[in-house]
Amino acid sequence: MGKRSRQRQKTQNTGRDDRDNRDNAGWGAGYADIVKENKLFEHYYQELGLVPEGEFEEFMNVMREPLPATIRITGYKSHAKEILHCLKEKYFKDIQEVEIDGLKIEAPQPLKWYPDEQAWHTNMSRKIIRKSPLLEKFHQFLVSETESGNISRQEAVSMIPPLLLKIESHHKILDMCAAPGSKTAQLIEMLHSDIDVPFPEGFVIANDVDNKRCYLLVHQAKRLNSPCIMVVNHDATCIPTLKIDSDGKKDILFYDRILCDVPCSGDGTMRKNIDVWKKWTTSNSLHLHGLQLRIAVRGVEQLAVGGRMVYSTCSLNPIEDEAVIAALLEKSEGTLELVDGSADLPGLKSMPGVNSWKLMTKEGQWFSDWSEVPVSRQTQIRPTMFPPTNPEKLANFHLERCMRILPHHQNTGGFFVAVLVKKAAMPWNKRYPKVRKDVSSSSAAQTEGTPAASIPSGTPCPPDSAVEEGVEEKVEEEEPKDSSLALETTDKLEREYGPPASKKKKLFGYKEDPFVFLTEEDPVFTTIQSFYNLSPTFPKINVLTRTHDGKKRHLYMVSKELRNVLLNNSDRMKVINTGVKVWSRNSDGEEFGCAFRLAQEGIYSLQPYIRSRIITVSVEDIKVLLTQENPYLSKLEADAHAQAKKLVMGSIVLKYIPNPNNTEDPQCPIQLCGWRGKTSIRAFVPRNERFHYLRMLGVEVFRDKQGQGDKGPDGEKAVEGVEGKEEAGNGAEEKGVGKDVGEDVGDMDLENGDTIGSSEPMKEPMD
């Protein structure tokens, strides 16, 4: 959303991070000298008439104002209600009636159109939240909960497309241009809407063309600890068709839901991405239209019949919006239907799509029809950029069913979204069902089987998209010059977005470790099975590692469906990340019966299959475990102490079961990984997750602004995020304790992010 073309990046140094800015950037820093004026922009949109009469001045005034801060609570997690309660009863109340720089801060309000009060907005800009001492605790809460995956700071309009997809737990979902990942996170949340189902039947494949941005996507997705997400690195216009095993035979994978949030000029982001004011011209949209249409065409090819695709941009320009949808509908010959999604989001104010528009060059020259375009301009301006000339056809497209969100209507950014339903196979796929014969069998993945010699005008790359890259490039060169999708103005843009030559591909990106699935007979399961008393239903074949040779350092799990995808497509897709970590090697554990300890990331997926090594703990036990590094077993309450004494040393599950009769305590289950030592017990929980659980239990955790440490409720400096007084006392006691295996484990696995204060590099692919 708003990610600029690479050509614009190189020529204007605008960067490809408009979508990052929409979801992550702050207001104000470095923009002091930018004047929020662009006469060409004002003239263009006044002439188009997209803003209702009498509202244009208000529209422009709001565009110059900073964007409100918005947050979204991770809805599928069982802790969502507890986080919402904490926000409403503590942090929101604390900031009511506060004045900062003469501005009265309003209490945050829920977005009317987002379900279950899971999204909130406030008139505070992000600069105010970050900089004001009065809001420091609120800011630290947001940062900590965001890092632990319980909250996402995301602009309001960015939340719309996933809602319109109507995700269900069995859906196979493709996110075509996924980085930086805020909408991908929403898709994962919706897939896991039933918290009692650790492995939904569906999955999310999140793709991005930029290898480096894929790791940003991994960082976003891994916060949710889902076994149903795979991150891949492909050009969205030629994303390969995948195969799966179905009832003993190979089938093509068609997706039930596709999110097509394409790169765009980003003029809807002016409230946040302020440099757009200076660099906006109509040429941006003309350069991107072809790419956007190619991505959309590729998306509907991969969509299952009956499936739903949402096309979205953060541009208000019809050239990137209605023009792409109209061209797509025309090429589909009735196999696609544009549906009205406005009723699915009651409370959201939007404008209907338009049926007529004009083009303007950056010099101010207007064109209303393709016939008016001089020959010298016809490489830059293409027929698909204009409205259909046939009135009957135009009426049948129902472009008014598109939705355009204007910033001044609900104090948001600008946005465009359209919902498409596929009623039948695309027409060119009906005509050419056969497999291409000029492709080697090792790489002949079929898209719906179009012969190379007969590629239709709208097809961005050979539908046999997993062919060798040399073949793909050859076909593109043979595409007719008058193809409606040959819209890029220069060969440079084509090279930037087209599939790179195979010899060059080796020069970019990281070399990924292999994904190696274990067999049920793998010797690694012998001790794991007995030590944790795994249920017979545990799917051992879904466990994988990242090495063929040597000791397995970490074990990961994926869902059955993603395993199917991985096993059948390893030669035709570049996988950056998949799976959730469930076990990590701890060599010292071998002497106690198992060399693998549990990993907190995968505990909620794995715990239903574990039948031993579980200690049921109380609220007070959790407070002790999370505020003291290595408390003695005797510090646990009697019940938990008795359970712990029965277990031998090694990895354990610490499980809290809510009591519905005691509403003062958290009403959601909590599961923590721990280690039962010789005389002590320890929780292996990342720093920010500790803060999260402590807040749920009513314990104040606060880091001073100078970064000098974390403070308890009385302001004492705390050690490693724990309340000062308790930690200091406990540390003195532990000095008299002999060497304990539980103490060694944390030091051993600091790089895994399982202990307080540790951090994980983004590059570690599976983490």
Side-chain angles (χ1 to χ4, degrees), residues 532 584-586 596-603 625-626 628-631 650-654 671-677 681-690 693 740-750 752-756 758:
Y532 296 103
S584 290
R585 179 174 290 278
N586 169 36
F596 287 90
R597 65 169 180 82
L598 299 165
Q600 182 66 28
E601 296 96 314
I603 191 60
L625 290 163
L626 296 182
Q628 303 180 31
E629 190 64 17
N630 282 297
S651 188
I652 54 174
V653 179
L654 300 160
Q671 297 175 24
L672 310 176
C673 290
W675 185 270
R676 198 279 201 210
I681 193 167
R682 176 178 190 167
F684 275 155
V685 183
R687 182 187 192 94
N688 285 306
E689 284 197 46
R690 291 202 179 206
Y693 289 122
D740 189 300
V741 175
E743 298 168 35
D744 295 339
V745 177
D747 296 332
M748 183 181 305
D749 289 290
L750 275 175
N752 299 329
D754 293 312
T755 57
I756 296 183
S758 65

Side-chain angles (χ1 to χ4, degrees), residues 473-591:
E473 291 179 344
K474 182 179 179 182
V475 174
E476 290 228 358
E477 291 169 5
E478 295 175 355
E479 202 172 44
K481 290 184 179 180
D482 62 348
S483 167
S484 60
L485 280 174
L487 303 179
E488 279 66 31
T489 57
T490 65
D491 290 337
K492 180 179 179 182
L493 185 59
E494 184 66 30
R495 288 196 302 272
E496 292 288 354
Y497 275 101
S502 56
K503 64 179 181 180
K504 292 183 180 179
K505 198 167 187 177
K506 299 175 184 177
L507 302 178
F508 301 102
Y510 299 100
K511 181 180 178 182
E512 296 299 326
D513 294 326
F515 296 84
V516 184
F517 283 96
L518 306 184
T519 64
E520 291 188 333
E521 294 76 27
D522 194 292
V524 75
F525 287 124
T526 304
T527 56
I528 290 178
Q529 174 75 52
S530 59
F531 191 73
Y532 296 103
N533 190 18
L534 294 181
S535 165
T537 60
F538 176 70
K540 296 179 182 177
I541 58 173
N542 294 353
V543 177
L544 61 87
T545 185
R546 297 300 302 268
T547 179
H548 283 291
D549 306 312
K551 286 188 175 182
K552 302 171 180 65
R553 185 182 177 195
H554 303 297
L555 301 181
Y556 308 87
M557 281 193 72
V558 297
S559 64
K560 179 179 69 174
E561 289 72 19
L562 271 188
R563 178 181 185 273
N564 191 349
V565 173
L566 269 172
L567 289 178
N568 286 285
N569 301 281
S570 59
D571 59 340
R572 60 173 62 92
M573 66 177 181
K574 182 178 180 182
V575 180
I576 302 297
N577 172 275
T578 192
V580 59
K581 188 197 300 181
V582 288
W583 281 292
S584 290
R585 179 174 290 278
N586 169 36
S587 299
D588 285 355
E590 292 182 4
E591 60 183 287

Side-chain angles (χ1 to χ4, degrees), residues 263 318 350 420:
S350 63
L420 296 155

Side-chain angles (χ1 to χ4, degrees), residues 89 99 110 322 333 464 530 646 655 660:
E89 298 301 319
E99 285 195 16
E322 285 91 346
E333 299 180 7
D464 195 356
S530 59
K646 295 178 182 178
K655 186 173 183 178

Side-chain angles (χ1 to χ4, degrees), residues 24 41 87 105 109 119 129 193 263 302 304 326-327 436 446 463 572 655 695 708 714:
N24 301 314
F41 175 87
L87 276 170
I105 302 300
Q109 298 294 323
I129 293 177
S193 57
Q302 300 231 2
R436 290 179 58 184
Q446 292 301 307
R572 60 173 62 92
K655 186 173 183 178
R695 290 189 189 101
Q708 297 175 353
D714 299 321

Side-chain angles (χ1 to χ4, degrees), residues 291-341:
L291 173 67
Q292 293 162 338
L293 183 51
R294 294 172 65 188
I295 294 174
V297 168
R298 188 63 186 137
V300 295
E301 283 183 336
Q302 300 231 2
L303 188 63
V305 174
R308 174 178 285 231
M309 184 176 91
V310 169
Y311 174 90
S312 62
T313 75
C314 59
S315 169
L316 301 174
N317 198 327
I319 309 306
E320 302 178 63
D321 299 339
E322 285 91 346
V324 174
I325 297 300
L328 189 61
L329 291 171
E330 186 162 11
K331 294 176 189 303
S332 74
E333 299 180 7
T335 60
L336 292 176
E337 180 185 3
L338 181 61
V339 299
D340 187 356

